[in-house]
Amino acid sequence: MFVETLLERELAHAGLKDPDRRLCQELVYGTVRWQRTLDWLIGRKTQGRVQKTGLQNLLRLGLYQIFFLDRIPNHAAVNETVELAKRLGFGAQAGFVNALLRGYLREFQPTKAALEDLKRTQPALGHSHPEWLVERWQKRWGIEPTNRLLAWNNTPPELFARVNTLKNDAGKLLEQWRAENVDYDFVRHDWLEENLVFRLKAAPPLERLPSFQAGKFYVQDPSTLLAVREMGARAGEDVLDLCAAPGGKLTCLAQMMGNAGRLIAHDISAERLKIVTENCARLGVTCATTALPSTMFAHVGTGFDRVLLDAPCSNTGVMRRRVELRWRLEPKEMERLRQGQLDLLRQAGSLVRPGGTVVYSTCSLEPEENRGVVDEFLHGHGQFGLERERELRPFVEGVDGAYVAAIKRAHR
C-alpha cells in the first residue's frame, strides 16, 4: 500500500486541525521524497553505520525540517525530534539523536552549501532519486533538462479543478468559489478549452465545499485532458473507456458528449468501478454504464466509434504526486508493463469499428511504454495507422508528464 493511502487513512481519524493536517502531510511526503539525500546526511555523522528503521526515520524527519522546511525553527525541530524519540521507545538513543541534529545546526550554512553542490556534482544523490533512473533520463534529454525534471519531482504538486459543464459554467463556479473563500488562477494550454481548468491556490478542504459536494468541478491535472481532447467524442457516439477508474477522463468525455450517447466505463474490479459510479453520480453523468471484464461482451455490439485506453504504467510522469514511487520502481518494471500495455492496446483495437479511433495514453515518460508500444501494435495490425502523438514533459510544458497517441482504424 502506498504511503499516500496509509497517511490518508491515519489522518481520517486523527482529529487534526487543517494547518496541522497540512504540516503532517508535508513532513511525511517531504521525508519520503528526500530520503536518499537525508540518508547521506546521516551517514556523514555515523560513518555509514545502519540505524534501526524507526531511529533512521526519526533522524530523517529532524533533518528534513532543518534543511528542507523553512516554517519550523531549527531548535524546535531538534527538541521535538528528541521528544518523539523518547515517546517511541528510543529513549536510550535520545542523546545520540540530539547530538547528531545539533551538530548539523552548528554546521548549518556549510551543509546547505554542500547540499546545493551535490545537486551539481551528483544529481541523483543531490535531488534524491535512484541513480539508474537519472542516468536513463540524462541519456535521453541531457543533464540540464533532467535536473529540471528532478527539481520538479521534489516540489509539492499543485491542485487543479476542471469545470463540470454538465452542472454549471465557469462564470457561475467562480462566483461560488469566491463565496467559499477559494483562491484560484486561470490555466491556459493549447490543448485546453478556455476557462475549463483552474489552479486552486488556496481553499478549504475540498470535501467540505458545497461546490465540490454538488459536483460542479472535478480535481484533475491539465495533462490528463490531452487524451480527452484527442478522443474528439461527440454526442450520440458509442465510446469505451477501457481502464476507466477513477473516472476523471470518463466524466470529461461525458461532458464533451453533452451526456448524449453511449459511454461504457470498463475496469478490472467492482471496487474500482464503484469509484467511477460515485464520481458519475456526483457530477451528473447519466450516459455512462459500468462493465466488468465478465460483462463486457454484452456491451460490445458492432464495436465502438472511439476507445480510450489510459494504460497502467510506470507513472514516471507523475512522480511528484507519487512520493515513494521512485523507491519502488525497478528497471525490469518497464518491460513487464510494456507487455501488459501492448495486450490492452490489442484489445482496444479489436473493439473499435472500422473508421473509428483508439486513443492510447499513459502518464509515463518512458519511450518503451509509449511510442514503443504503439509501434509494435502498428507492426502487427496493418489496418491501423498513427494519426498524431504528443508527449508532455514537466520541464517543458509545466504539467504532469503524459503521452497520447491517436490511432485510426481504416474504414475497410
Side-chain angles (χ1 to χ4, degrees):
M1 189 174 293
F2 287 101
V3 67
E4 296 92 340
T5 305
L6 291 171
L7 179 61
E8 200 61 35
R9 180 179 295 176
E10 292 299 317
L11 289 175
H13 53 77
L16 295 177
K17 295 181 179 179
D18 292 340
D20 293 331
R21 181 188 176 98
R22 288 193 292 270
L23 176 59
C24 178
Q25 188 178 63
E26 169 63 27
L27 290 173
V28 173
Y29 289 174
T31 302
V32 173
R33 278 194 190 98
W34 288 99
Q35 176 180 310
R36 187 179 178 201
T37 313
L38 294 169
D39 287 349
W40 177 78
L41 287 171
I42 295 168
R44 294 172 85 214
K45 296 293 186 183
T46 61
Q47 290 74 52
R49 291 194 306 273
V50 178
Q51 310 299 317
K52 291 182 179 179
T53 301
L55 185 59
Q56 187 81 355
N57 284 335
L58 282 168
L59 293 171
R60 289 167 175 167
L61 182 60
L63 289 169
Y64 175 72
Q65 294 173 76
I66 291 170
F67 291 109
F68 297 95
L69 198 63
D70 296 330
R71 57 198 285 194
I72 298 176
N74 286 344
H75 67 275
V78 174
N79 292 339
E80 287 299 318
T81 305
V82 171
E83 289 304 310
L84 190 58
K86 295 175 182 177
R87 291 202 299 272
L88 294 178
F90 293 100
Q93 290 82 27
F96 162 67
V97 172
N98 184 65
L100 188 147
L101 296 181
R102 290 198 181 279
Y104 268 121
L105 290 191
R106 291 190 294 271
E107 303 166 10
F108 180 76
Q109 290 302 336
T111 305
K112 288 284 282 188
L115 289 170
E116 285 303 309
D117 188 59
L118 208 59
K119 292 177 181 178
R120 293 188 294 272
T121 59
Q122 300 181 63
L125 179 56
H127 289 280
S128 191
H129 280 67
E131 206 76 41
W132 69 268
L133 191 56
V134 174
E135 290 176 358
R136 176 187 180 90
W137 288 340
Q138 287 177 338
K139 287 177 183 176
R140 194 180 329 148
W141 298 311
I143 292 175
E144 286 310 312
T146 298
N147 285 347
R148 293 200 298 273
L149 176 59
L150 301 179
W152 169 275
N153 287 343
N154 286 330
T155 58
E158 295 176 309
L159 203 59
F160 296 91
R162 185 244 309 162
V163 179
N164 178 22
T165 57
L166 296 177
K167 288 201 169 185
N168 61 175
D169 58 33
K172 292 176 182 177
L173 179 60
L174 297 186
E175 184 178 347
Q176 184 167 354
W177 274 351
R178 287 190 286 269
E180 293 174 344
N181 295 316
V182 175
D183 189 13
Y184 60 87
D185 203 355
F186 294 84
V187 175
R188 294 179 176 87
H189 293 289
D190 58 32
W191 66 90
L192 297 178
E193 295 175 27
E194 192 77 12
N195 297 330
L196 177 65
V197 176
F198 294 85
R199 180 167 61 90
L200 302 183
K201 298 162 66 176
L206 297 185
E207 64 272 12
R208 300 181 198 167
L209 289 180
S211 57
F212 178 82
Q213 295 167 354
K216 295 184 178 180
F217 68 92
Y218 186 88
V219 175
Q220 193 165 20
D221 190 84
S223 64
T224 65
L225 296 175
L226 176 60
V228 177
R229 199 280 302 271
E230 291 297 341
M231 282 284 284
R234 296 188 289 266
E237 290 186 329
D238 290 329
V239 178
L240 169 65
D241 188 344
L242 194 56
C243 300
K249 294 182 178 70
L250 177 99
T251 53
C252 193
L253 285 170
Q255 187 170 308
M256 288 181 68
M257 297 166 68
N259 246 347
R262 188 173 69 116
L263 181 55
I264 303 300
H266 171 274
D267 218 296
I268 58 173
S269 72
E271 184 178 358
R272 290 174 63 82
L273 286 178
K274 181 183 177 185
I275 300 171
V276 176
T277 300
E278 290 169 351
N279 279 322
C280 284
R282 185 174 64 85
L283 297 171
V285 173
T286 57
C287 66
T289 303
T290 59
L292 288 163
S294 59
T295 62
M296 185 62 201
F297 182 77
H299 299 280
V300 174
T302 58
F304 296 90
D305 297 302
R306 303 175 196 274
V307 177
L308 172 62
L309 170 55
D310 186 34
C313 67
S314 64
N315 296 303
T316 53
V318 293
M319 196 165 279
R320 69 171 181 165
R321 297 186 186 276
R322 310 284 176 88
V323 294
E324 67 176 321
L325 172 66
R326 67 189 73 180
W327 310 126
R328 288 174 174 256
L329 198 60
E330 297 179 0
K332 61 184 179 182
E333 190 78 353
M334 309 300 179
E335 176 57 31
R336 184 189 68 80
L337 288 165
R338 189 197 65 79
Q339 190 55 55
Q341 291 152 355
L342 183 58
D343 291 343
L344 283 169
L345 186 51
R346 288 168 176 154
Q347 183 181 353
S350 71
L351 294 170
V352 71
R353 293 170 181 157
T357 299
V358 173
V359 170
Y360 174 77
S361 73
T362 75
C363 56
S364 169
L365 297 171
E366 313 315 313
E368 57 265 60
E369 295 183 80
N370 296 334
R371 183 60 185 266
V373 170
V374 171
D375 282 346
E376 188 164 352
F377 170 77
L378 294 175
H379 181 73
H381 298 77
Q383 71 273 41
F384 287 87
L386 177 63
E387 286 205 314
R388 55 196 174 274
E389 65 175 344
R390 183 169 181 181
E391 181 183 46
L392 301 179
R393 291 162 292 175
F395 56 86
V396 176
E397 286 83 10
V399 297
D400 286 346
Y403 173 82
V404 176
I407 305 167
K408 185 84 170 178
R409 182 173 181 176
H411 286 276
R412 63 172 75 186

